[in-house]
Amino acid sequence: MAEQESSPEEGSASSSVFLSLGPQCCMSTFSFNVTMSSAVVDQAADLVIELSSTPKTKLDEPAFGNVFTDHMLTIEWSASDGWQAPLIKPFGNLSLHPACSSLHYGIQLFEGLKAFRGDDNQLRLFRPMLNMNRMSNSAKRACLPAFDQSELLECIRRLVEIDQDWVPHSESASLYIRPTFLGTERSLGVKKPANALLYVILCRVGSYFNSETKGLSLWADPKYTRAWKGGTGNYKMGGNYGCSLLAQYEAEDHGCQQVLWLYGEDHQITEAGTMNIFLHWITEDGEEELATPPLDGIILPGVTRQSILELTRKWGEFKVTERYLTMSQLCSALKQLRVKEVFGSGTACMICPIGHIVYQGEVRERSRLMLTSRIAKELIDIQVGRNTHKHTQTHTHTHTHTHTQMFLHLSVTAG
Ligand SMILES: Cc1ncc(COP(=O)(O)O)c(C=O)c1O
């Protein structure tokens, strides 16, 4: 098993850790032959599927994260028996022991990605191997067991296929996929869990991006810190989010929608709520630049962030930089009218303009939507398969997937 944390680019190549797809290969010595497409089908055939006999009504615009589809995927692991056969079953409650380690010590992580329905009625996942890779890195940090990223993705593909009618027929809505991984050992000891549960649930969501919006308001105060060097801010672990709630409510008390997370004595700009942040401005040297903070351990390596960096670098129209940005740099740029746009990025909203920031008792304002709208359009075109990006390829299974793909076709012929 690779001990080193892998970069997203390395994610698709991971074949040294295994999540079995059948009871006969539950130990971590099973090697899946990724070069044979028939092997995918053979292993997927071991997936156990129990269909729901009571499908739910599908609401068009449910509130985010409240209404779930008819099925879920669960995969259990134990130190003694390894990974068990994955199971797709009717959506329902989990049964957890009251001493289970995720409930007491937050030994837990999650992911978030989306399935889109294209104009051609094909379903697509947007760069899912980047999520699988980030999940694998989070699992290492949480001392949860390793899994085969491609095998998990194949199980997710099957789940989405089964609940395909839940993927909205609209470019402004999609199906949100929430993989979750919990330590489930029945013990109060603070230790590596000997039991774990990986599960995936799905819900229909609307789009957050609205070009009419005045932009998000952010409250920037160094009093709270989202993440710190050596911590877990660059992993998608539940504890990072639970401990941000109080600041979120204080932001609302200050009339803002989200927190602009700062770090260090020099008030470095790190993230906006649960989004990565970008500044499009003219630098002090007079150069046009799109800048975002570097992945130095306190920033979540967002899939949308990476995609925006790749897309704008490909345009080659201005400098695209990952570098430290401070509030004093932003404030003087705002004063000198050098700021073009500020926006956040993330799977939930995709790209979200930031209208004003409340910092040191003053409102700092800037809201334009030119770059934001252009990036949003290009990303939506890729997500719904309208744009044949040079990095896009069509595959009907996951095992030939490479990191350079912008999306993954599901082999679903939608009705
Ligand atoms: C703290 C944080 N930053 C950034 C992001 C954006 O990441 P992505 O683009 O992969 O959704 C998220 C959302 O997952 C997040 O929770």
Side-chain angles (χ1 to χ4, degrees):
M1 180 194 314
E3 286 301 322
Q4 293 266 312
E5 180 161 310
S6 53
S7 69
E9 285 76 14
E10 291 162 344
S12 55
S14 164
S15 58
S16 53
V17 290
F18 310 103
L19 167 70
S20 83
L21 276 175
Q24 78 280 21
C25 45
C26 60
M27 300 303 290
S28 61
T29 50
F30 168 64
S31 176
F32 193 75
N33 184 351
V34 297
T35 58
M36 288 172 56
S37 59
S38 62
V40 179
V41 177
D42 288 343
Q43 296 304 318
D46 292 331
L47 181 78
V48 179
I49 299 174
E50 294 169 10
L51 293 179
S52 165
S53 54
T54 52
K56 297 177 217 159
T57 309
K58 298 165 188 71
L59 300 174
D60 275 344
E61 291 290 337
F64 178 84
N66 285 344
V67 177
F68 296 91
T69 65
D70 295 316
H71 298 92
M72 65 194 288
L73 167 73
T74 62
I75 319 171
E76 301 210 31
W77 175 89
S78 71
S80 52
D81 298 327
W83 286 104
Q84 300 304 297
L87 173 65
I88 291 176
K89 61 180 185 181
F91 187 93
N93 293 343
L94 300 175
S95 173
L96 296 174
H97 191 276
C100 103
S101 54
S102 55
L103 296 179
H104 293 266
Y105 310 121
I107 303 175
Q108 182 272 359
L109 60 95
F110 66 99
E111 265 304 323
L113 62 158
K114 284 178 173 174
F116 300 88
R117 189 184 294 278
D119 297 344
D120 55 2
N121 223 3
Q122 282 276 335
L123 306 186
R124 293 174 178 85
L125 302 182
F126 184 67
R127 313 194 78 178
M129 277 311 283
L130 295 181
N131 296 90
M132 296 300 100
N133 182 256
R134 189 169 64 189
M135 184 164 174
S136 167
N137 289 338
S138 300
K140 268 180 221 159
R141 183 65 170 85
C143 292
L144 284 165
F147 58 90
D148 186 295
Q149 300 169 33
S150 300
E151 293 293 301
L152 176 58
L153 183 53
E154 174 62 10
C155 293
I156 291 174
R157 191 192 68 76
R158 296 290 298 274
L159 178 65
V160 174
E161 197 171 45
I162 286 168
D163 277 345
Q164 60 178 282
D165 288 348
W166 286 83
V167 186
H169 288 260
S170 153
E171 90 172 25
S172 64
S174 54
L175 190 73
Y176 184 77
I177 303 168
R178 170 54 66 91
T180 313
F181 201 1
L182 308 176
T184 53
E185 180 163 355
R186 305 157 166 222
S187 163
L188 292 180
V190 182
K191 57 183 176 174
K192 249 186 193 186
N195 299 84
L197 172 68
L198 196 165
Y199 67 90
V200 182
I201 52 178
L202 311 172
C203 60
R204 203 175 241 207
V205 290
S207 162
Y208 283 31
F209 185 74
N210 173 0
S211 57
E212 301 303 313
T213 184
K214 289 211 319 255
L216 204 65
S217 52
L218 300 180
W219 177 62
D221 192 315
K223 147 177 190 189
Y224 295 108
T225 306
R226 190 195 84 89
W228 48 90
K229 299 274 167 71
T232 58
N234 52 336
Y235 302 100
K236 220 162 157 57
M237 293 162 70
N240 295 340
Y241 298 81
C243 71
S244 72
L245 264 191
L246 188 63
Q248 167 62 29
Y249 283 102
E250 207 162 320
E252 289 174 25
D253 292 343
H254 287 83
C256 293
Q257 292 158 293
Q258 296 277 338
V259 178
L260 175 57
W261 296 103
L262 305 180
Y263 182 74
E265 297 293 309
D266 54 352
H267 298 180
Q268 284 167 35
I269 293 167
T270 64
E271 302 219 41
T274 55
M275 294 184 291
N276 294 118
I277 190 165
F278 284 82
L279 306 186
H280 182 211
W281 61 0
I282 305 295
T283 65
E284 281 169 359
D285 303 331
E287 207 173 357
E288 185 177 343
E289 178 187 54
L290 179 67
T292 191
L295 300 180
D296 63 349
I298 60 170
I299 306 291
L300 190 86
V303 173
T304 323
R305 174 190 181 278
Q306 182 175 329
S307 305
I308 292 171
L309 288 173
E310 289 170 8
L311 203 59
T312 51
R313 280 181 178 141
K314 194 187 63 149
W315 293 348
E317 295 173 17
F318 40 76
K319 195 160 98 176
V320 178
T321 318
E322 293 166 77
R323 67 171 172 110
Y324 290 107
L325 302 162
T326 64
M327 276 311 290
S328 76
Q329 288 171 333
L330 175 61
C331 291
S332 53
L334 282 167
K335 216 174 267 174
Q336 294 162 11
L337 304 179
R338 286 190 284 109
V339 178
K340 288 169 163 285
E341 269 169 86
V342 184
F343 58 87
S345 72
T347 296
C349 65
M350 183 162 60
I351 181 161
C352 178
I354 292 165
H356 74 257
I357 298 170
V358 174
Y359 175 63
Q360 295 178 334
E362 272 185 54
V363 178
R364 329 277 168 148
E365 229 165 326
R366 188 74 191 134
S367 63
R368 275 182 22 172
L369 294 170
M370 290 163 65
L371 189 61
T372 320
S373 301
R374 182 174 167 198
I375 292 171
K377 183 178 178 318
E378 287 219 15
L379 286 179
I380 290 172
D381 283 353
I382 292 167
Q383 287 167 342
V384 301
R386 212 175 282 143
N387 177 357
T388 46
H389 189 274
K390 80 166 191 214
H391 290 322
T392 59
Q393 299 167 24
T394 302
H395 293 297
T396 52
H397 63 82
T398 58
H399 288 262
T400 52
H401 179 77
T402 71
H403 74 275
T404 50
Q405 268 178 253
M406 272 294 199
F407 62 75
L408 171 77
H409 270 282
L410 296 176
S411 57
V412 171
T413 313

